[in-house]
Structure formats: C-alpha cells, structure tokens
Amino acid sequence: MPADPLHRAGTPQRSTTSLPPSGSGASAIEVRRSSRRRRTVSAYREGDRTIVLIPARMSEAEERRWVSVMLDKLAAQESKRVLGDTELSERAQRLSAQYFDGRARPTSVRWVTNQNTRWGSCTPSEGSIRLSHRLQGMPEYVVDYVLLHELAHLLVPGHGPRFWRLLEAYPRTERAKGYLEGVVAADRLPHLPGVRGE
C-alpha cells in the first residue's frame, strides 16, 4: 500500500484520537478513515496534533502499523527542514502567543555559530534571543523547547520555580530535555578508531 504524506483527499468517515507511541513528536494522534480513500495513507501536523488519513477498510492492526510509519516519516521530514532567521522569529512569536499569552516579545531571534557549549541564549535587557546552529536539523519539538526556554527568560531572568512553571505549559518539555541530554551524552562517548561516522 503506497503512502503519500502530502495527499489529504478523502472525506473522513470515522475519526479516532489517541496518545502517541513513545518517541513520537506529537501530543495526540487523530486517525481519520475515509471510504473515498482506496490505497493512500497520509499524515500532517496540525498544531500539537498529528492527523493520519487512512482508507476506511483498513484493519486496526494495519492502522497501528501505518500510524507508526507515518509518524516516522513526518519526524524525518521535520528533522531535515532548516528554519531561516525570519521563520525562527515567526515561530517564536507563535510560541509566545500559544504558551505565554504573547507576553514574551523578543526584538530579534536568530541562529548563531558561536555557541558551542549552550543551545540558546537570551539578553532580556535587549530582548534578543540566539539559538545555536547545532539545533538545526533536530526535531521541531526540540527547537520549540529551546525557543520557549529563551522566551521564558524574557519574562523571568533566572531558573527559579517561577521560570520552570512557565515551561510546564509546553507538553514536550521533558522529552526535549531528554533529547538534548542524549545528544550531549553521545558527544562524550569515545570515538573508536576504524569505525566510520555518518
């Protein structure tokens, strides 16, 4: 059965919503079945929700398998997408509106290549946010977490309880922190001679 992640045709016949499998980037998955859809399976993100479109005749086991396949495809597509400074700034504005009622208003948001020991930085007095270029190519939920972390610093400068309460609103905070900790840990692993990297 071919999968077409960009195809969205077909009127939904039945829709189910579930929690995502561990490791996926979405907070909820909505499966829409369509009698008009014969062979294609597609998926797209809609805010924090992933919509998966499948043929109505598909069994529950096939549905589970295709949901997993499409989540992997979406994650792979997102990890290849690199946002420019303008898109990064627009993303920061959307995240501020969604999680902080628009109260965090950066004057500039941009990628920088001189941050090799931190993922991002913020200068609250100037309203500027800088993200390390090392985040480029990481899953969107990780970039969003770092952006939200720096946006929160525009509202609360330190890392006290008030700061962490702000970040509790983002449902992927712990997952993103775990991902970044994994990247740091992997960088510390010894590189064995004779083993070729990617």
Side-chain angles (χ1 to χ4, degrees):
M1 182 179 296
D4 176 8
L6 301 177
H7 192 285
R8 299 183 188 188
T11 307
Q13 184 183 59
R14 182 174 67 92
S15 179
T16 58
T17 303
S18 62
L19 294 175
S22 61
S24 74
S27 60
I29 299 162
E30 182 177 334
V31 177
R32 296 180 185 168
R33 290 177 172 263
S34 170
S35 56
R36 292 177 56 195
R37 187 175 284 271
R38 296 282 179 225
R39 294 176 39 88
T40 60
V41 176
S42 63
Y44 60 96
R45 304 277 195 216
E46 195 173 84
D48 279 347
R49 184 178 299 275
T50 300
I51 311 298
V52 180
L53 307 172
I54 64 172
R57 62 177 174 71
M58 191 173 277
S59 71
E60 295 294 322
E62 288 175 310
E63 174 184 318
R64 283 191 300 275
R65 185 174 72 81
W66 276 105
V67 165
S68 178
V69 165
M70 297 313 288
L71 287 173
D72 289 346
K73 283 185 179 239
L74 283 174
Q77 288 171 355
E78 290 168 352
S79 70
K80 291 176 186 169
R81 190 179 317 145
V82 176
L83 303 174
D85 287 348
T86 302
E87 294 166 309
L88 197 61
S89 184
E90 290 168 357
R91 190 174 203 91
Q93 289 173 11
R94 283 195 306 273
L95 289 167
S96 176
Q98 184 175 356
Y99 294 102
F100 303 143
D101 297 321
R103 292 177 295 134
R105 296 188 188 109
T107 56
S108 71
V109 182
R110 61 191 174 90
W111 296 107
V112 294
T113 57
N114 63 351
Q115 290 191 31
N116 294 316
T117 58
R118 52 169 90 173
W119 298 112
S121 62
C122 173
T123 307
S125 61
E126 297 173 4
S128 62
I129 291 175
R130 294 157 306 280
L131 296 192
S132 171
H133 71 287
R134 295 177 304 140
L135 288 164
Q136 292 175 333
M138 289 189 187
E140 286 185 0
Y141 74 92
V142 175
V143 176
D144 285 353
Y145 164 72
V146 177
L147 269 174
L148 279 164
H149 185 105
E150 302 310 331
L151 285 166
H153 279 309
L154 293 176
L155 304 173
V156 179
H159 287 104
R162 230 174 103 230
F163 173 84
W164 292 111
R165 271 195 302 276
L166 283 174
L167 287 178
E168 285 174 4
Y170 184 58
R172 300 182 205 155
T173 291
E174 291 307 314
R175 178 177 287 155
K177 285 168 63 176
Y179 184 99
L180 293 171
E181 288 169 4
V183 169
V184 170
D187 284 345
R188 292 183 182 145
L189 291 174
H191 297 284
L192 300 174
V195 177
R196 294 185 183 252
E198 298 141 333

